[in-house]
Amino acid sequence: MSGFDNVNSDFYQTSYSIDDQSQQSYDYGGSGGPYSKQYAGYDYSQQGRFVPPDMMQPQQPYTGQIFQPTQAYTPAAPQPFYGNSFEDEPPLLEELGINFDHIWQKTLTVLHPLKEVDGSIMNETDLAGPMIFCLAFGATLLLAGKIQFGYVYGISAIGCLGMFCLLNLMSMTGVSFGCVASVLGYCLLPMILLSSFAVIFSLQGMLGIILTAGIIGWCSFSASKIFISALAMERQQLLVAYPCALLYGVFALISVF
Amino acid sequence: MATAAMAYGSSIASHGKDMVNKELHRFVSVNKLKYFFAVDTAYVAKKLGLLVFPYTHQNWEVQYNRDVPLPPRQDLNAPDLYIPTMAFITYVLLAGMALGIQKRFSPEVLGLCASTALVWMVIEVLALLLGLYLATVRSELSTFHLLAYSGYKYVGMILSVLTGLLFGSDGYYVALAWTSSALMYFIVRSLRTAALSPDSMGGPSSQQRVQLYLTLGAAAFQPLIIYWLTFHLVR
């Protein structure tokens, strides 16, 4: 298990260009040769992502030796260096980029549709929360006897793509696909409530229609609220809410029928 | 080597994205397309009202700002693509729902409905382009303008289908007649002034006549296509 995989796995995902690597092969410790210039340097600031200031590393090649734990190396700045040994590896969730606190905050934002939303919460696009919600939606549909994971994924993919094109055309600043998918996935949460109701009693009566309409309105209202504040679009909330309502309407159709 | 693979994957992804963007920009000018989506809620509401009741609107001229047409936010007469796109998607979903109510629904039928409507739209836009080209009419109407004007009929289609579902076959025919005449009036009034560029005062009168015939032909085509695409939903 090479320890060098851990160097880049801090919480804010970064990537380094493959050109920095001049030598691809590992030199395993049989002959114990020097492990020269494996990485030319880590330039965190190139990619324009979130860079916490304490993570900036100077451009220094790592000239330690693999599998020789007694080799002395000095990191140039005091920073959390994830070394070779097992105990120094970052926790799994941090490595995967799943932060339960952020997921919970965004969920609360969706659940309180009348609260003012801050536009910056969507700056880090995480797809872990939406994935959980999609799976939960499929699971509640399964409980009601409808095995339709394929439709759920297909419709969400097409819907996300359509919303992405529309929002890019309608807003002044562009929007990334991950942001659109993340917002739409989080606002799927009330739909899970609807499909869990469908397990208990059938939604095809008048009460079911009113409940469905209310939940579609709730989902699309919170989705459009987040989009409007994140993209600074003025006087267009209803225009953004309508395609979201169409998308969630299709999900509701799956739940009801 | 996981991080190396991830970096390679992300560089491949960004390379692919650049390639897609380049190809897309060769066919579609995104800035020109953005003009048609610069709408706000007030414009959409007024335009929908205009599509249903155009008889009292006085001024149909598209306003210009130093030879550049004003975006739809600031000019009610400017065409937009938001309403046609949303109306098309709503029409497809409504068709699926109507067929579902009649117990004739299956996902293939939805795709069939969508592709039929799309093909008729493409045929109409191509026919209009051909007509404009053959008549050597010099006008400001680009493909997107024609797409917008031929997409406004979906609003009428949705209204007809809804009325038909709520009030039965008679309601459907009444709504069909009303929306068809409103749409014909709307298209004739809009295209008559939109087809003329702002600095020309009409050109030779034979050209003007051909333009008029084209506009009338396009308008007369609308009720036929509305009927053709909706009657099987309101059986």
Side-chain angles (χ1 to χ4, degrees):
Chain A
M1 165 67 185
S2 160
F4 297 103
D5 292 342
N6 301 326
V7 185
N8 275 340
S9 53
D10 50 336
F11 178 57
Y12 299 104
Q13 301 288 342
T14 62
S15 61
Y16 68 95
S17 163
I18 198 174
D19 301 328
D20 284 346
Q21 281 190 334
S22 53
Q23 185 178 352
Q24 291 287 336
S25 59
Y26 285 104
D27 191 10
Y28 282 108
S31 56
Y35 190 68
S36 66
K37 217 166 168 33
Q38 174 72 4
Y39 299 113
Y42 323 108
D43 192 4
Y44 282 81
S45 58
Q46 261 178 11
Q47 310 301 328
R49 307 275 199 128
F50 265 113
V51 179
D54 54 335
M55 290 301 241
M56 293 295 262
Q57 299 185 19
Q59 314 284 330
Q60 245 193 19
Y62 175 67
T63 52
Q65 291 190 4
I66 193 169
F67 287 156
Q68 300 205 355
T70 55
Q71 174 79 16
Y73 62 87
T74 52
Q79 65 219 3
F81 179 74
Y82 302 119
N84 298 340
S85 59
F86 184 66
E87 295 90 40
D88 286 346
E89 282 181 24
L92 178 64
L93 286 183
E94 200 174 307
E95 199 168 325
L96 289 177
I98 300 177
N99 184 3
F100 275 129
D101 192 44
H102 280 194
I103 293 181
W104 184 241
Q105 274 177 14
K106 291 187 201 172
T107 312
L108 283 183
T109 310
V110 170
L111 286 179
H112 293 154
L114 300 177
K115 202 166 65 164
E116 281 297 317
V117 72
D118 184 17
S120 65
I121 64 171
M122 281 303 154
N123 276 344
E124 35 174 71
T125 72
D126 81 296
L127 289 178
M131 273 292 137
I132 298 177
F133 290 156
C134 266
L135 285 174
F137 184 60
T140 49
L141 283 181
L142 196 63
L143 281 179
K146 303 171 189 148
I147 310 178
Q148 282 165 345
F149 283 96
Y151 277 131
V152 168
Y153 282 134
I155 291 173
S156 39
I158 295 180
C160 283
L161 195 62
M163 256 341 259
F164 167 70
C165 295
L166 186 71
L167 282 178
N168 266 332
L169 288 172
M170 272 177 72
S171 67
M172 291 295 124
T173 66
V175 62
S176 70
F177 184 74
C179 177
V180 173
S182 175
V183 174
L184 288 177
Y186 272 110
C187 297
L188 194 60
L189 181 61
M191 200 58 62
I192 301 180
L193 272 175
L194 182 72
S195 60
S196 44
F197 276 140
V199 175
I200 308 174
F201 60 89
S202 162
L203 289 175
Q204 299 198 13
M206 181 51 72
L207 178 66
I209 292 182
I210 297 179
L211 189 67
T212 311
I215 290 206
I216 293 178
W218 181 7
C219 288
S220 38
F221 182 69
S222 48
S224 61
K225 189 181 56 147
I226 298 182
F227 277 133
I228 295 279
S229 60
L231 299 175
M233 299 160 70
E234 34 173 63
R235 293 194 306 268
Q236 284 178 327
Q237 177 157 8
L238 276 181
L239 301 185
V240 174
Y242 183 68
C244 294
L246 287 180
L247 177 65
Y248 291 124
V250 176
F251 281 123
L253 267 180
I254 300 182
S255 306
V256 172
F257 291 108
Chain B
M1 292 303 287
T3 46
M6 207 164 65
Y8 189 58
S10 68
S11 78
I12 290 260
S14 64
H15 185 63
K17 204 163 72 146
D18 289 338
M19 220 165 58
V20 166
N21 274 339
K22 201 163 60 114
E23 294 300 317
L24 197 61
H25 283 175
R26 272 202 344 208
F27 293 115
V28 165
S29 157
V30 180
N31 280 330
K32 269 188 6 177
L33 199 53
K34 271 197 172 185
Y35 162 80
F36 288 97
F37 280 93
V39 294
D40 62 354
T41 318
Y43 168 84
V44 169
K46 281 193 271 193
K47 193 79 171 189
L48 287 176
L50 201 61
L51 281 169
V52 174
F53 197 79
Y55 307 108
T56 53
H57 190 66
Q58 299 299 331
N59 180 20
W60 292 85
E61 301 258 338
V62 179
Q63 290 157 31
Y64 287 86
N65 174 24
R66 288 190 293 252
D67 273 353
V68 171
L70 284 179
R73 270 180 189 244
Q74 291 152 4
D75 176 24
L76 182 60
N77 295 318
D80 74 309
L81 277 175
Y82 174 85
I83 294 180
T85 320
M86 290 299 125
F88 178 75
I89 300 180
T90 313
Y91 161 72
V92 171
L93 292 178
L94 198 62
M97 218 169 67
L99 289 175
I101 291 180
Q102 296 172 13
K103 306 281 189 293
R104 284 190 294 151
F105 179 76
S106 71
E108 294 89 28
V109 169
L110 204 65
L112 189 67
C113 221
S115 48
T116 311
L118 201 63
V119 163
W120 277 113
M121 173 112 89
V122 168
I123 289 180
E124 182 180 351
V125 170
L126 284 179
L128 276 176
L129 277 176
L130 186 68
L132 283 177
Y133 174 74
L134 287 180
T136 63
V137 170
R138 210 162 297 128
S139 75
E140 296 274 315
L141 292 179
S142 72
T143 314
F144 289 135
H145 281 94
L146 295 178
L147 205 61
Y149 282 117
S150 70
Y152 282 135
K153 68 161 94 51
Y154 287 106
V155 179
M157 273 200 249
I158 294 171
L159 284 174
S160 312
V161 172
L162 273 177
T163 329
L165 287 178
L166 289 173
F167 299 116
S169 199
D170 299 330
Y172 168 68
Y173 285 117
V174 165
L176 182 66
W178 177 270
T179 52
S180 309
S181 59
L183 194 66
M184 282 201 287
Y185 185 82
F186 175 85
I187 291 213
V188 168
R189 288 299 298 263
S190 309
L191 285 185
R192 236 180 32 180
T193 53
L196 305 169
S197 59
D199 43 320
S200 88
M201 276 325 285
S205 64
S206 67
Q207 213 184 36
Q208 260 187 319
R209 260 212 312 251
V210 170
Q211 230 168 290
L212 192 61
Y213 289 153
L214 258 180
T215 317
L216 287 178
F221 182 64
Q222 310 291 327
L224 298 175
I225 199 71
I226 294 181
Y227 178 71
W228 181 256
L229 286 177
T230 50
F231 78 96
H232 65 280
L233 298 174
V234 201
R235 206 58 77 68

